[in-house]
Structures are given as C-alpha cells and as structure tokens.
Amino acid sequence: MFQRLCIHVIQRLRPVHAHLYLQPGMEDCSDDMDGPVEDIGSRSCVTRFVKTLLSIMEHGVKPHSKHLTEYFAFLYEFAKMGEEESQFLLSLQAISTMVHFYMGTKGPENPQVEVLSEEEGEEEEEEEDILSLAEEKYRPAALEKMIALIALLVEQSRSERHLTLSQNDMAALTGGKGFPFLFQHIRDGINIRQTCNLIFSLCRYNNRLAEHIVSMLFTSIAKLTPEAANPFFKLLTMLMEFAGGPPGMPPFASYILQRIWEVIEYNPSQCLDWLAVQTPRNKLAHSWVLQNMENWVERFLLAHNYPRVRTSAAYLLVSLIPSNSFRQMFRSTRSLHIPTRDLPLSPDTTVVLHQVYNVLLGLLSRAKLYVDAAVHGTTKLVPYFSFMTYCLISKTEKLMFSTYFMDLWNLFQPKLSEPAIATNHNKQALLSFWYNVCVDCPENVRLIVQNPVVTKNIAFNYILADHDDQDVVLFNRGMLPAYYGILRLCCEQSPAFTRQLASHQNIQWAFKNLTPHASQYPGAVEELFNLMQLFVAQRPDMREEEIEDIKQFKKTTISCYLRCLDGRSCWTTLISAFRILLESDEDRLLVVFNRGLILMTESFNTLHMMYHEATACHVTGDLVELLSIFLSVLKSTRPYLQRKDVKQALIQWQERIEFAHKLLTLLNSYSPPELRNACIDVLKELVLLSPHDFLHTLVPFLQHNHCTYHHSNIPRGKSNIRPPRPELNMCLLPTMVEASKGKDDVYDRMLLDYFFSYHQFIHLLCRVAINCEKFTETLVKMSVLVAYEGLPLHLALFPKLWTELCQTQSAMSKNCVKLLCEDPVFAEYIKCILMDERTFLNNNIVYTFLTHFLLKVQGQVFSEANCANLINTLITNLINQYQSLESDFSNQRVEISKASSTLNGDLRALALLLSVHTPKQLNSALIPTLQELLNKCRACQQQRNSLQEQEAKERKTKDDEGATPVKRRRVSSDEEHTVDIGDIKAEPREALTPTSTSDNETRDSSIIDPGTEQDPPSPESSSVKEYRMEVPSSFSEDIMLAARSQHTEEQPGNGKFEECKEFKDLQTSKDSMGAEEDSEFPSTSISAVLSDLADLRSCDGQALPSQDPETNLSISCGHSRGLFSHMQQHDILDILCRTIESTIHVVTRISGKGNQAAS
C-alpha cells in the first residue's frame, strides 16, 4: 500500500520535477554513464528519495526491508513512468547495484546480503532475525520485479545498434566466467520470461554473445541434475519460440539445435522430451530431428539402458508425425494389443509417417542385438514395437512390413520363443505387433503358412502358466491373445496348418492349462476356443483321413477336459468346450462313459448355489447353456438304452434324483422364461430315460408342493424378487388370476407362456405313468389338482388324457377313473367349468370329456336344486344376452365372434345339464328367443356369403387382367387354399416304450400326447381375411356334442337310464339335423380348434386308441394353421346355428314330455 502511495505522489510531482531528475551533472545530455553519480538528482525530492531507496541495497538488507517484492515493484513502476526515470536509474548504475545485491559480492561490512545469495551455506546466528525462513522460501518470487527492471533498463539503454550501458553495468551482466549472474538467477528460476527478454536485448546485433550464452546454457544442463536443469530447458523453449521480431536478432534456434547433441549424453531423457515438445511447434526442429534419425533412433530407442530414455525416444518419434490426433491417441493408449485403426491422415502426414516407419522396419535386423535377457533385460524392445504397432493405421503399413518378415521371424525364433523366461516383455510387444500386422492382411498371414520353417516352429513358444503369480498372470493376459490370435489367423487361411496345429502337443497343453482359467486370461481363452472351433470344422471337400483326424482331436480333447476339469469351479470352460466339441451322439456318449454327467452335475450345483446365494453373480446364461448341453447329452443316450455300457453309465450317475429336485426349485417367477423352459426340457428327458425312478420321487414332491400352496394362507404370486431359498412355485391359485380368459389378450398370453410348459411336464408324467402302469393315487390327485389350477388357461391336456383313459377298457384305466371320480377336487373342477369357464366347452375335447364324466360325478357336483337353479340361470342369461345384442349385429365381426363364443358355451353347458337333469318346467321365452337368434345368425350367414361371392368375382376379374398386386396376390393364395380333411387323419401307431431303440426324439414316444412340438397360437389371433375351404359334406356332422362318444356303462335305477336315453336322443337329433344340412364348413368352432391346438401343441401321436373319430379329427386339424384361421372367421356362425337348432330340438322334446305329464 505504501508503494502505491509513493507512486501516486511521484506521478503528481512529475510534471514539475521530471526535468530536474538528471541535474546537476547531466545537463549536457552526455551519453557517458561512467561519470560521478553523487550529485545526480540532488535538485529533486523525487530523485533524492529514489537514491535513498537504492542505497538500501548498497548497505545491505535491514529488518525493516524484508518486503523485497514491494521494494522492486516500486522501482520497476518508477522506471516505466518515462525516459527521464529510466535514464536517471541508468545514470546511477542501478543495474550493477542490483546485480551485486543479488550476487552478494559486497564487502564483509555487509554480511546481510548473504541471505539473498545463491550460496546454501548456513547463515550467521545473528542474521536469523533479519529474514525468516518463510521469506527465504519465497525469495525467487520476491526478486521477479528486479529481473524485469534490469531487462527494462537494458532495453532503454539501446541506441540503434548498440547499448549505452556503463562498463560496470555491462560487466555485472555479462562479465565473469560462465555469465554468473545469468546462470544464478536462471538456476533459481526467477522470471524466466524476462530473462529471455534480457538475453534478447543483450544479444541483438551481437551473435557472438548469443553463441556464448547458448553455450553457457548447455554447459549448465550438462552439469546440473535433471530437476535443477528444468529452468534452463524452459529458457531454451522460449528462445526457440522467438520468430520475427526486430532486426539484428541472432538465430538462436540454429545455435540450440547444433549444441543439443553435446549434452544429450548427460541428460538424454530431458533432451528428448524437450525435442518432442519442439518438433510439432518448430519446423526447423522437426526437419532437423527427422533428417538425423539414423543418428539417434537406434541409440536411444533400442540400445539405451534406461527405460525412461527409450520411452522418451518413442514419444519423440510420435511428435514427428504432424497430426494432433495421432499424437494424442498415442498418449492415451493403454494396451499394446489395440492399434490405431483407420486414423484419417493428410497425404503430407502419411509421407512423414512412412518415412519414420521405414526407418524402424529397417532396424528389425539390428533388434536381435538387444534381446539377450542376460545382457539387455527383457524390456528393451517394448517402446520400439509399441510405436511400430501404433503406426499400423491402414493396410498400406501392413504391406510395407512384408519384405521384413524374415527379420521379424529371426528375431522371434529362437531368441525370444525358446528361453525359459516367465515374463519376457520383448516377446509380448513383438507378438502384439505381429498379430496386428496380420489382421485384415492375408498377404502377411500367407508369409507364415507358406514357409515350412515357420509353420514347423511357430507352435513352440515358452509359456509359464503360474496362476498364482500376479506378474506372470498380467504378462500372459497381454501376450497370449496376440500369440493365439496369430495361430487362429493362420488356421483360417490354411487347412493343412490347421490339421498340423490341432495335433500339436502345445495346443493340448494350452487347452488343459489355460482354458480352465477364463477369468484370468479372457482374451487368450477366447482365442483358444476360436482355434478349437476351427479344429473341428468340416469342409465338403475333406478327405476321409482328415475327418478321422477331427474325430480323434475331439476324442482327445473331450477326454482331457473330463480328466482335468473341476466341475465346481470350471463351468465356464466346460460349457464353452462342450458347446463346440459335442456335435454327434458319439461325442456325447463319450461324455456319458467318462463320468461327464457327474462333472456337469457338479457345475450345475455350483451355479444353482450362486444363483440363489450370490446376488452379484449373473449366472443365468451359464445355467441355460449348461442345461442345453445336459439335454443334448441325455437325448443322445435314448437310442442306445439297450446297450449295457450306456445303462451302466446312467446307473453310476447317482446324483440324478437330487439334480432333478434342484431343477424343480428353479421353476418360479424369479427365474426367466428361458431358464424355466430349459429346466422343464431336461426334466422331461430325465423322466423318459428313467421313468420308474422319477415317478417314484418327483410325484410325491410335486403333490406335496401344490397341496402346501393350496393350504397356505401366505399370499404367493408371480414376483421378480429372489426367493429366500430355492423353491418350486408353479401353482396358479384362483386368487392370483387378475382377469378371466378372453378379457385381456396380453395377460392371457403371458399367463399361458408362464404355465404351459409346466402343465406339459405334468401331462408327460401322467402319460409315462400310464405306459409304465404306475398311475398311482398320488399322481391322480396331483393331475386333477394341477388341472384345476390350470382352468383359467383353458388347457385341454387333462380332459384329453382322461377321455382316452375312460375309453380304454383295461383294469388300470378303470381303477384310475374310479380314483379320479372319488377325488373332491375333480368335482370342483367340473363345477368350475359349468359355472365359471363355460367358454372352455367350445373345445371339443373338453365337451367330450364332460359327456363321459358328468354322469359319473353329478351327485358330487350339484344337488337337484342347484342343478335346476343353474339351468334356470343359464336360460335367463341366454334370453338377456340375446336382448342385449346390437341391432346391426351382422356388421360387427368382432362382436359376432365374442358373442357367438359365449352363447355357444352357454348352450353346450345347458345341453350337458339337461342330460343329467330334466326340469319340471322351462322358461316359455326360451324357444322363441332361440328361434329369433337362429334367424339373426342365418341372416348374418347370408350377408357374409353374398360378400364372399362379390369379393371372389372381383378377385377373378383382377387376376384375369393380370393386375393383382404382390401383396394381394399373397392374400389370394391364402384365401383359395383348400384343405383336404380326408388326408388329415390320425393314423394309429404302435405304442412305444421309453426305452425303445427306434425312439429317436423326445416327442416321438407314444407316451407323449400329439402336437406339443409347435408353439400355441394366440387364442384371439383373429384375422380380417376371408378364407374359403372345400370340405367334404361328412364334416357337416355336429361334432360339438360328440355323438359317437357314448358311455359304454349305462347306470340303471333312480331314473338315470331315462336321462341317459334323453341325452342320446339329443345327440342323435343333432347328428341327424346336422347331416341334413349341406354345409361346406366343418362344425368345429374356431375358438375350440385354437384352444385345442394350444392345449395339444406338445402332441404328435395318440397315446391311447380313441373311440371317437371326430375327436381324432379335431386333433388332426391342429396341424393346419390355414384351417384354424378359416374356421375362426366363418365356422362360429355355422356352429352356433347348429347348436341352436339342436338345443331347440331338445328343449321342444323336454317341453312336450312336460306337457304330457301335466295332462
């Protein structure tokens, strides 16, 4: 603050005192600066004040003058005020005063200046109170204004081509050996920028002085430590940056570049780093470094012993490429394995890159001088190959390497490949370069595979597989992917090399010792499995011996893995290897014979535990893949179950029961669909392979699980929250269903997707039990319980199974039917269909099922009163439904489908109930309502038929004109597609046991229901297209009532016989009425057939002979999707019409009997 006050006062006094600054003694304006200075400035108070301040430096630093920053700032501001002020300071020889003050060369009477000298000796005890340690620490910053003041005064003393400094001032600045003042304050790093300006001012028009100063700078760099030399390099940079400027400036850049090699031996790293900074900025430096590459590249990039120097040389090479992106990307590169790809460079930049790259390629032959680990260590070539790898920006650079290939090979083999060195980083860098120079360059790969010496020896490469040594692991993680990548590229181009390599001992060693450690060597293991894929690949033109070689390779490798792998920890390797190697039944049986099932079970147990206990482990994909391999291996054993070795291997797999139980515990809503489906597929295969074992163990477990859920008060629904422990949760309780069937298509589809495969599995258990005659009471109870849960899904698996059993006259069948009818859950199942799920009756299988079983359990389902009430309710609902229909009903196709489906289901339910109970009186409005509804449906049919005829004519006209668009032509082909139903008949096949040798696929077994191979179509997949189909008139029979499926057991007594007779009359009446009509459409509703397909998609044959050909027909129809789409649009009205007609017939007869009884 005082300094600013003084400057302010002087500025106010300057107009009056400026002309007095140099009086007396300088009135003659002489340029002589060496005259007496005692009287100068004595006439002005300003100059007297300044002289007093300068005298402080002459007499040493006192305690009151510690604040040197403000002191020199005042003098600097004073000198900048004008020419008078600077001339006054020059006349007082202020420069020499400041230099002597800084250098501490005053006499012994002023020992205080020692505090500010560069000498590091200890201070006198009496001087410690003058300058504290804090001020000593910040001394350079305090003197920055002093250097700026000296530079300003030197420049102010210039008179055209020379300086007018006094001899004392010039001597203080440039005198002495080695320019002591310049050296000292540069070393202290005091205001290097102003020091540069000072040197410019001193050396202008004085080239010799400039050369001496540059020489002093390099001499100082050679003597000082790298840290102490930093300010000198900073000054060199500033001198190099100077361009243009006033005339007379010496060529500092040339002087500096000529002398740089003199000191590079003393401080090579700093010199190279400094050059790397200068080359992108200074064209002269760039040209000079580029032209002298032969003098320094090998010397510092390859031969030097210090890694820091070799790295600096690499960065200097990078700086030669005139591209900012090229330089920056190199600095950010972390892996030798990832080169620069397709970096856009200008033509001039590419020329420079190729010039540098050619020089480096030429050094490949010299590089072998530096690979002896005992002399040069194992890292000398790393920067060299690192930069060459980075230069591979296009195929051009890769092709430039081709002529130097043998130099690289002679460098690699044997001096790098054979010595037993655990971590040879030279080899790692070389292989990385070699790999990248071969990628996308078949010409370089061809150089390998066409050279017999190379192909013979390239597989010999010392690798230490010490998985506990972190340094070795990190080294292998970088080196092995490049090495095996080179081998893979060669195999992709040369089949002969592939066969040669596949039989090499080192490859089998790698499979055994490296692939089990995929977490430590992910890149290398990936390349090894790529090689394995190439080893087992077969070409059409392969010779027999080559195919045998592949078989032998697979056998050897599979056996190796089965011996060496630990299934509890190496599941990743097992999955990856078996996915490649297990291509045929022979391969899979080899796994079975060598305890592979036990090994895979161990892997599954570990994954099962991790899936439930380790929340951070994502093993779902591994589980699915492992189960897929399990499935293929298990399937491969089925055709050979008669062989003793296969049977023995399966018997030795004692963990199979526990394995199956763990599979069941993965069936819950937390597991994704692909995992659940994989588990169920494997469970099905297990049941088929060993039906007795799994029926004995799984059925009680499943029964207990479902009963537990039904009796538990804990709400258990679908959730994506991980269960606290493994659990089976495939129970569909009524409280869990959010919407009934048909209300929400998306919800229906999701519910079906979740539960369908599980219900298929239960269905399979039942079929297997029938085939093995092991259909126990527990299985019967489980079957009906699961069917009851699946009612909202409208699955017809259970009805179809029990309909077939009911039609079979064996003792086991009769006993099973008896057990079923005694189960109270079964009565609830039928009651639920008739009361809540009547649209389910549109499915012919379900309707046929009820015609068989309703009479057997009617007493358990409904009392007489309840049955009568339900009949009345149905009649009332039918009347109300008709009255609520829209007047333009015929124009709303969606409404037709929905309303017809509901009406048809209700009418079928009414027919069933009337077959077991004859009410005393029926609603008088029922028959008129049915008549009106029939008339409306026929009107809809007529309107539809007229529209069809009109559309057919339009299509024919367009087809004749040849103008049918492509899309329309496709639609037409669908519409005109005809299905000959006579050809779609289920041919009975001989029932096969699960152990049959001719039973090749899971679905071929006779114990499996037909149709399960296809996915279920959407129940509501309605199409707006109109389909036409030519069908024999025999289809006009009304199969909805299943007239030919009559009971063989008639129950006499209690009026039941009469009711059965009534029902048979009803069926006969419907058949006769249906036969009289000349209809071209099948009498099966589309919803029924679609549901049939959905329920029977897992079936492709009859498990039991059916006495109902029309049931067979409906099943067979499930193989034609065109038929379904046709019936969905058209058949619903036809079916509904026939149903109404039959109902009218039955109701009329019942009403007539009631009238006769009343009379």
Side-chain angles (χ1 to χ4, degrees), residues 508-529:
Q508 286 297 327
W509 177 92
F511 288 148
K512 178 180 178 181
N513 294 281
L514 296 178
T515 55
H517 304 275
S519 60
Q520 292 179 303
Y521 316 109
V525 171
E526 181 183 359
E527 288 291 0
L528 281 169
F529 282 127

Side-chain angles (χ1 to χ4, degrees), residues 924-952:
S924 59
L926 177 59
I927 294 179
T929 301
L930 293 176
Q931 290 287 1
E932 293 178 16
L933 180 60
L934 180 61
N935 294 334
K936 183 170 289 190
C937 290
R938 286 176 174 170
C940 291
Q941 285 180 298
Q942 292 176 0
Q943 183 179 1
R944 181 198 63 199
N945 293 336
S946 62
L947 288 174
Q948 286 178 351
E949 292 176 1
Q950 183 177 353
E951 290 178 0

Side-chain angles (χ1 to χ4, degrees), residues 324-335:
N324 287 330
S325 57
F326 186 89
R327 293 191 292 267
Q328 292 168 359
M329 289 179 66
F330 182 78
R331 283 170 172 78
S332 64
T333 300
R334 293 292 181 267
S335 172

Side-chain angles (χ1 to χ4, degrees), residues 38 83 588 851:
E38 291 79 3
E83 186 178 355
R588 299 182 185 100
T851 62

Side-chain angles (χ1 to χ4, degrees), residues 1092-1133:
D1092 195 18
L1093 177 63
D1095 298 338
L1096 301 175
R1097 67 178 181 180
S1098 63
C1099 311
D1100 60 3
Q1102 294 103 315
L1104 295 169
S1106 174
Q1107 302 300 319
D1108 185 1
E1110 288 158 338
T1111 303
N1112 290 338
L1113 171 64
S1114 65
I1115 298 169
S1116 302
C1117 290
H1119 300 283
S1120 174
R1121 295 182 180 268
L1123 177 59
F1124 298 146
S1125 191
H1126 166 82
M1127 289 190 294
Q1128 182 175 17
Q1129 290 298 324
H1130 297 161
D1131 289 352
I1132 189 65
L1133 284 175

Side-chain angles (χ1 to χ4, degrees), residues 684-699:
K684 289 178 181 178
E685 201 62 39
L686 289 173
V687 171
L688 293 174
L689 285 176
S690 184
H692 297 279
D693 289 344
F694 290 102
L695 285 172
H696 179 70
T697 57
L698 295 188
V699 171

Side-chain angles (χ1 to χ4, degrees), residues 345-393:
L345 298 180
S346 65
D348 295 339
T349 302
T350 305
V351 170
V352 176
L353 175 66
H354 288 175
Q355 183 178 350
V356 174
Y357 182 55
N358 265 323
V359 171
L360 297 178
L361 289 173
L363 292 174
L364 274 173
S365 59
R366 302 268 310 162
K368 59 186 177 182
L369 301 175
Y370 309 105
V371 296
D372 188 346
V375 179
H376 299 282
T378 60
T379 61
K380 270 200 170 181
L381 302 182
V382 172
Y384 170 65
F385 282 111
S386 175
F387 179 73
M388 284 213 298
T389 303
Y390 188 69
C391 289
L392 302 175
I393 62 173

Side-chain angles (χ1 to χ4, degrees), residues 820-831:
L820 176 69
C821 293
E822 292 173 354
D823 193 333
V825 180
F826 180 60
E828 189 65 26
Y829 173 79
I830 292 181
K831 181 178 179 181

